[in-house]
Amino acid sequence: MNAEDDFDLIPGLDRSAPPEPRRRPAPWWDRLSIYLPIMLMGLLALASYWLLRATPPAPEPQPERPVTSEPDYFMRRFSVKSFDAAGQLKAEVIGDEARHHPDDDRVEIDNARIRNLAESGAVMRATAQRVTTNADNTIFVLEGDAVVVREGGRTDAGEPLPRLEFRGEFLRVELEPVERVTSDQPVELLRNGDRINAQTLDYRGDEQVADFRGRVRVQLNPRAAP
């Protein structure tokens, strides 16, 4: 019996099947690709943590600042016109400088020139070194060489209205609800050549009546005989 016969006697030995080849270990990059998703997730987590630390905190809500009297805007060498619903000129304000105060919504105007046209067609002009007006331009306070002129015209009933000119260092003009000119300081009124000086003044345009107080001096212009 030779050696080949001895192999034939080994049970379970298949002489027809060749021996299996020895497997090589997987390359390192293949092994690395298994852990790559975990590494990327870790890097993203670190980046998110860094961004969270680097982002400044949200500002805390600040308490509402109280409204002050400091001007919040200016206008220089300006001209402002306002119109009624029909597109007709209602008022015009010209000045060297205007300052808006947000606490009471008033506007101060230096070297102001104002022209107002009433619905009846009466024209009122005013000038002063400083004019302070409210938000809707219905009240004007004139200070320094104040002059208010109400041009002559006619009433709704057709009666003539004389030209009136008020002069003083302080005049307050109200346009609504009725035309009114007041002053608690010395004032001068010119009317058809007449001159009236008084310590105070209260004039109402709806009644065409002027109330003078204090020391009053009147200079009447002679009227021509009819």
Side-chain angles (χ1 to χ4, degrees):
M1 182 179 296
N2 53 24
E4 294 181 358
D5 296 333
D6 294 337
F7 283 108
D8 293 338
L9 296 177
I10 299 175
L13 179 64
D14 187 5
R15 296 182 59 187
S16 62
E20 295 181 0
R22 185 177 179 181
R23 295 181 178 180
R24 295 182 179 182
W28 64 270
W29 54 83
D30 289 344
R31 296 195 301 270
L32 181 62
S33 63
I34 299 176
Y35 302 99
L36 185 60
I38 300 176
M39 295 172 63
L40 290 177
M41 291 179 63
L43 290 175
L44 289 175
L46 289 175
S48 301
Y49 177 76
W50 179 82
L51 287 175
L52 182 63
R53 292 292 301 272
T55 303
E60 297 181 358
Q62 298 293 330
E64 186 176 353
R65 295 183 179 180
V67 180
T68 66
S69 61
E70 294 297 324
D72 56 355
Y73 70 80
F74 299 84
M75 292 189 297
R76 291 185 173 90
R77 301 192 179 280
F78 67 95
S79 174
V80 177
K81 296 180 180 180
S82 59
F83 300 85
D84 58 16
Q88 299 296 322
L89 180 64
K90 184 178 180 180
E92 180 180 15
V93 180
I94 302 173
D96 290 349
E97 179 177 293
R99 298 171 295 276
H100 177 260
H101 298 265
D103 56 341
D104 54 4
D105 210 18
R106 74 185 187 278
V107 177
E108 293 180 345
I109 308 170
D110 295 338
N111 296 324
R113 298 174 297 282
I114 301 170
R115 185 163 62 105
N116 182 78
L117 285 77
E119 294 182 358
S120 61
V123 179
M124 176 178 289
R125 295 182 288 107
T127 60
Q129 294 178 3
R130 181 194 296 184
V131 174
T132 303
T133 177
N134 60 345
D136 53 1
N137 292 330
T138 57
I139 299 177
F140 298 88
V141 177
L142 290 71
E143 299 175 273
D145 295 330
V147 178
V148 175
V149 177
R150 207 275 316 270
E151 299 292 350
R154 292 188 177 276
T155 64
D156 296 338
E159 298 179 358
L161 287 174
R163 181 182 186 273
L164 299 178
E165 182 174 340
F166 304 88
R167 292 180 175 270
E169 289 299 311
F170 177 88
L171 294 173
R172 176 185 173 92
V173 180
E174 300 178 31
L175 302 179
E176 296 179 3
V178 295
E179 176 188 322
R180 191 173 184 180
V181 181
T182 59
S183 178
D184 58 359
Q185 299 182 24
V187 65
E188 181 179 60
L189 170 62
L190 303 176
R191 178 183 182 275
N192 287 340
D194 299 336
R195 186 186 305 269
I196 304 174
N197 296 88
Q199 299 299 114
T200 65
L201 167 70
D202 187 352
Y203 171 78
R204 293 180 60 92
D206 58 336
E207 300 175 356
Q208 301 183 42
V209 174
D211 183 11
F212 301 97
R213 298 290 178 91
R215 186 177 179 180
V216 180
R217 186 176 60 184
V218 180
Q219 180 181 347
L220 300 178
N221 190 39
R223 299 291 192 271

